[in-house]
């Protein structure tokens, strides 16, 4: 017994020494989570992170709605929704992924969108004014080059590109989600690649309605929803579309949407103001780390979005093989694993997740 006891004590001390780091690691994770969820001392604690921000425009002052989720001094993502005229609601699935990654993020309804002021002056709906709006929101939220990631989806990708071309010194990272750098190239892809995937009789009827400018005809969307939207916008049966997506479409400001985008996602038609937008030759001027994201079944050409990543000095591409235009729903794991990895790698190079 005298010989065995010292050996037992040595074993116990060794075991305790080996187990203590995991306890420390658990405490570290617990403290990190507690800090992330701690809103004390923030101006928006009363409202759970929501606040209205006053912005100035050539036509007066208005308020736009934002909502913060989490605390992280080095990783803060401002989300620019699609449309134009859509809402932040489509992004609500981000709640399932970014908090557990410890990433702070901001929902934001652009001026004219459902939760923000909705002035009737159509002169406000232009790219340059939206860029200045984003800059005012950035300042109000105290985002800067040490923490500010800008994620733009669809139309938001156009807005994020334009913002970066003017204000990239304020950015830490840029994410262009499901948006090409050229609307003419997007229209060509819709015409030459996506259109022919539809049954010939369906495409012919759609084209006939477009020629007659009969977009108000219910038949137009009756054809597009099953033959285009559920194939290339969100690859789920309509009855399975998530509630946030349905709310976003229900709250769409169609005045802004039609003025800038046209009547559908099947290319930009008519006199829509974005019809000739093209920044393909300017991408090399964006020096900050940039991630482009594309879906195999996207309304946008995934090859073009992959090419875009090669034009940025610090570009990367994330391909969602099962994804469409809203790949954060129909290829969710790929989308969020890649997005989080990018944000964390820019924050702490070489570490990734």
């Amino acid at each position: 017994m005298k010989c065995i006891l010292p050996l037992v004590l040595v074993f116990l001390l060794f075991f305790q020494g080996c187990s203590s780091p995991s306890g420390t690691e658990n405490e570290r994770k617990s403290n990190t989570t507690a800090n992330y969820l701690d809103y004390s001392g923030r101006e928006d604690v009363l409202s759970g992170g929501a606040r209205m921000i006053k912005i100035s425009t050539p036509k007066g002052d208005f308020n736009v709605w934002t909502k913060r989720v989490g605390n992280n001094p080095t990783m803060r993502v401002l989300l620019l929704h699609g449309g134009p005229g859509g809402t932040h609601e489509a992004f609500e699935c981000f709640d399932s992924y970014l908090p557990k990654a410890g990433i702070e993020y901001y929902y934001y309804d652009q001026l004219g969108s459902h939760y923000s002021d909705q002035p009737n002056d159509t002169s406000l709906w232009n790219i340059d004014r939206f860029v200045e709006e984003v800059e005012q929101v950035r300042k109000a939220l105290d985002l800067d080059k040490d923490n500010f990631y800008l994620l733009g989806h669809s139309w938001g990708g156009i807005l994020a590109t334009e913002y970066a071309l003017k204000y990239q010194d304020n950015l830490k990272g840029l994410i262009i989600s499901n948006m090409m750098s050229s609307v003419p190239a997007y229209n060509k892809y819709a015409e030459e690649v996506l259109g022919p995937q539809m049954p010939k009789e369906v495409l012919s009827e759609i084209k006939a309605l477009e020629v007659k400018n009969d977009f108000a005809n219910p038949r137009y969307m009756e054809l597009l929803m099953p033959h285009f939207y559920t194939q290339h916008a969100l690859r789920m049966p309509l009855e399975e579309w998530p509630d946030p997506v349905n709310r976003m479409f229900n709250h769409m400001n169609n005045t802004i949407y039609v003025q800038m985008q046209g009547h559908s996602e099947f290319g930009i038609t008519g006199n829509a103001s974005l019809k000739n937008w093209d920044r393909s030759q300017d991408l090399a001027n964006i020096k900050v780390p940039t991630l482009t994201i594309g879906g195999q079944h996207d309304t946008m050409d995934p090859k073009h979005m992959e090419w875009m990543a090669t034009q940025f000095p610090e570009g990367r591409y994330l391909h969602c093989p099962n994804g469409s235009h809203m790949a954060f729903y129909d290829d969710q794991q790929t989308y969020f694993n890649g997005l989080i990895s990018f944000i964390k790698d820019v924050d702490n190079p070489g570490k990734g997740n």
Side-chain angles (χ1 to χ4, degrees), residues 98-116:
L98 297 196
K100 64 184 178 183
I103 296 171
E104 180 178 327
Y105 57 106
Y106 291 81
Y107 293 125
Y108 156 40
D109 267 22
Q110 298 152 28
L111 185 64
S113 292
H114 185 71
Y115 290 82
S116 296

Side-chain angles (χ1 to χ4, degrees), residues 91-151:
F91 285 133
E92 287 180 6
C93 62
F94 282 52
D95 288 348
S96 297
Y97 295 90
L98 297 196
K100 64 184 178 183
I103 296 171
E104 180 178 327
Y105 57 106
Y106 291 81
Y107 293 125
Y108 156 40
D109 267 22
Q110 298 152 28
L111 185 64
S113 292
H114 185 71
Y115 290 82
S116 296
D117 287 351
Q118 299 174 30
N120 292 321
D121 193 328
T122 58
S123 68
L124 292 167
W125 316 134
N126 64 82
I127 291 176
D128 291 342
R129 195 213 57 78
F130 274 112
V131 167
E132 295 310 311
E133 176 184 320
V134 173
E135 174 62 358
Q136 292 179 64
V137 169
R138 177 197 71 82
K139 290 178 178 178
L141 296 176
D142 198 26
L143 308 175
D144 58 41
K145 61 187 173 84
D146 295 324
N147 55 41
F148 179 29
Y149 296 80
L150 186 63
L151 185 154

Side-chain angles (χ1 to χ4, degrees), residues 276-296:
N276 297 313
W277 182 82
D278 190 338
R279 285 293 200 169
S280 298
Q281 302 306 310
D282 302 315
L283 301 182
N285 296 324
I286 298 176
K287 311 294 186 183
V288 297
T290 301
L291 176 69
T292 63
I293 306 175
Q296 181 63 37

Side-chain angles (χ1 to χ4, degrees), residues 177-190:
S177 174
N178 308 89
M179 186 64 222
M180 296 165 65
S181 61
S182 165
V183 168
Y186 158 45
N187 283 344
K188 186 172 187 288
Y189 184 69

Side-chain angles (χ1 to χ4, degrees), residues 89-90 93 234 236-249 326 328-330 332:
E89 290 159 307
C93 62
L234 177 53
M236 296 178 185
L238 281 175
E239 62 273 15
E240 295 179 14
W241 278 24
D243 173 67
V245 176
N246 292 327
R247 280 188 280 113
M248 182 272 292
F249 276 111
M326 302 185 77
F328 41 85
Y329 283 102
D330 49 25
Q332 209 166 65

Side-chain angles (χ1 to χ4, degrees), residues 189-203:
Y189 184 69
E191 182 73 23
E192 297 181 0
V193 178
L194 300 182
Q197 294 179 19
M198 298 183 195
K200 289 183 179 180
E201 65 276 10
V202 170
L203 183 59

Side-chain angles (χ1 to χ4, degrees), residues 168 172-174 283-284 286-292 308-317 342 345-346 349:
Q168 66 179 305
K172 186 171 184 175
L174 175 68
L283 301 182
I286 298 176
K287 311 294 186 183
V288 297
T290 301
L291 176 69
T292 63
M308 287 168 60
T310 70
Q311 302 305 295
F312 299 109
E314 292 191 55
R316 310 180 199 181
Y317 176 63
F342 169 77
D345 188 56
V346 172

